[in-house]
Amino acid sequence: MAAESAAQLSCSCKGIRSCLSCERAGRPGEALAKFQRRKYNFSYHPSSGLAVGDDSSSLSGCTFPFPGVFLSDNFVNEEEETELVNWMDSNEWKPSQSGRKKQDYGPKVNFKKHKLKVERFSGLPCFSHLLIDRMMQHPVLKDFLPVEQCNLDYRPEQGSAIDPHFDDWWLWGERLVSVNLLSETILSMSCDSEDFIQLHHTEMVCNAQSYDPVTGNSESIFNFNGDNTHCTGNDGVEMTSDIGQRPVPYKDVEVAIRMPRRSLIVLYGDARYKWKHGIYRQDINSRRICSTFRELSEEFSHGGKQEALGKELLDIALSFQGVPV
């Protein structure tokens, strides 16, 4: 009984969410089943901006443009990673859902009611000043001014994960920026749309190296040519298309984005607003810390209805005097 009580005390899961602590304590819910990874159909290739069918997938050999992702390897070095983690560990980690712990540097927000409070918000942490200056050296982030930072601690012994989800877009703007520390993982992208993706055969792709990560412009860059292209479908039946295309529903496709240790990832455009992102329990193999930075939406930016409040939030955030709330 004592062990079960301790497990329950260390768990902050609500609703259908669960972690290993609450599952071991016998908490009812969907438990492990909902965290079993679906078979990845595609893997994202940063050099081309394409989602490419995995060799083990029934859609092997097929591909489609996947705009809205920017990846930078070795965004921080080993020494900087150690310093960043030590800074974070010197502050309290608060229990969060699905086996995670968190540190929030941002205003208190009620997203359902569209309300926020700034009273306890003291800004981003001092150690993030260097990170943001470095981010802005990338063209895709040249004017990026974050107003919130959330650090999340994932541990395999807790069954840490995060459900596929969209980040709020009432308060938060287009670009979601994350720094991945301590271990690599996989960001799983999924879409609930009933619309169809046009798949192409990988051999038909020309000029893939011209993909522009800033604009996410793929259609004007990728040329798909050829006749009688073969593409194998989910039913195991080889399809032949005279125009080299095979449509499949978005909801049947999942794209795995590998995030190396010490890398930076930016999601924007379709990857922000059309595709949900999540991390499966099975993709956390050792301790992982993620620092996610968010900017303000248009409503809180220059010319927006709440421009004054947005300026107040930004002034506080960029003072870099913050403590977790």
Side-chain angles (χ1 to χ4, degrees):
M1 290 295 295
E4 290 184 2
S5 298
Q8 290 173 338
L9 287 172
S10 65
C11 170
S12 295
C13 297
K14 299 177 182 178
I16 64 171
R17 294 177 176 85
S18 66
C19 66
L20 288 179
S21 292
C22 61
E23 290 161 16
R24 288 168 182 153
R27 176 179 174 270
E30 296 182 31
L32 286 171
K34 80 185 191 73
F35 286 109
Q36 294 300 320
R37 180 205 292 178
R38 290 179 290 166
K39 186 177 182 181
Y40 285 129
N41 289 322
F42 291 83
S43 293
Y44 177 73
H45 286 223
S47 60
S48 66
L50 294 174
V52 179
D54 294 344
D55 290 340
S56 60
S57 168
S58 60
L59 293 173
S60 175
C62 296
T63 186
F64 65 95
F66 195 83
V69 179
F70 173 75
L71 269 169
S72 176
D73 288 349
N74 299 309
F75 179 71
V76 296
N77 60 37
E78 293 184 27
E79 181 179 353
E80 290 169 334
E81 177 187 51
T82 299
E83 291 178 357
L84 287 169
V85 173
N86 287 342
W87 266 103
M88 295 178 199
D89 284 344
S90 68
N91 289 290
E92 178 186 5
W93 288 98
K94 295 183 178 180
S96 185
Q97 299 196 64
S98 302
R100 293 169 282 132
K101 293 184 179 180
K102 66 179 180 179
Q103 295 173 345
D104 282 326
Y105 295 86
K108 185 175 180 180
V109 187
N110 186 322
F111 292 109
K112 289 184 178 180
K113 296 182 179 181
H114 285 189
K115 294 183 179 180
L116 62 86
K117 297 180 180 180
V118 300
E119 288 81 2
R120 296 181 58 200
F121 179 36
S122 54
L124 303 184
C126 61
F127 61 80
S128 293
H129 202 163
L130 173 66
L131 296 179
I132 294 167
D133 285 345
R134 189 174 297 172
M135 289 174 190
M136 295 177 71
Q137 295 176 20
H138 295 286
V140 71
L141 295 172
K142 62 182 179 181
D143 56 351
F144 183 67
L145 296 174
V147 74
E148 194 250 17
Q149 177 179 342
C150 180
N151 302 328
L152 290 173
D153 188 344
Y154 291 74
R155 297 185 185 240
E157 63 269 22
Q158 292 297 320
S160 300
I162 188 165
D163 292 352
H165 67 283
F166 292 113
D167 277 32
D168 167 80
W169 47 62
W170 163 66
L171 179 59
W172 308 135
E174 177 162 348
R175 293 165 292 188
L176 304 177
V177 183
S178 294
V179 179
N180 188 55
L181 303 174
L182 294 182
S183 64
E184 71 171 31
T185 193
I186 293 174
L187 190 67
S188 177
M189 310 293 292
S190 57
C191 182
D192 298 332
S193 174
E194 297 287 344
D195 293 337
F196 286 81
I197 304 173
Q198 294 294 335
L199 301 181
H200 303 265
H201 198 276
T202 52
E203 293 178 356
M204 301 160 53
V205 182
C206 304
N207 302 324
Q209 68 278 6
S210 298
Y211 173 73
D212 186 350
V214 177
T215 64
N217 188 349
S218 297
E219 293 182 356
S220 63
I221 294 172
F222 292 108
N223 298 314
F224 298 95
N225 304 298
D227 298 321
N228 297 323
T229 297
H230 296 273
C231 197
T232 304
N234 286 328
D235 51 10
V237 178
E238 189 176 65
M239 303 290 292
T240 302
S241 173
D242 291 335
I243 60 173
Q245 297 183 348
R246 161 66 190 298
V248 297
Y250 275 93
K251 63 183 179 60
D252 291 344
V253 170
E254 189 169 67
V255 179
I257 302 177
R258 188 181 72 87
M259 293 191 294
R261 180 176 179 175
R262 295 188 295 275
S263 65
L264 172 135
I265 187 170
V266 185
L267 301 180
Y268 58 98
D270 280 359
R272 162 78 163 103
Y273 296 113
K274 189 170 187 175
W275 293 82
K276 293 180 179 180
H277 58 278
I279 294 179
Y280 288 103
R281 176 181 293 179
Q282 292 84 355
D283 291 325
I284 301 297
N285 298 310
S286 59
R287 188 188 184 194
R288 172 196 179 240
I289 289 178
C290 172
S291 291
T292 296
F293 299 81
R294 299 178 176 93
E295 63 185 341
L296 290 169
S297 68
E298 291 185 1
E299 182 173 336
F300 293 84
S301 301
H302 181 70
K305 292 189 298 183
Q306 302 200 57
E307 176 183 357
L309 178 55
K311 184 179 185 304
E312 180 184 0
L313 290 170
L314 203 54
D315 287 344
I316 296 172
L318 300 183
S319 70
F320 295 103
Q321 298 176 6
V323 295
V325 295

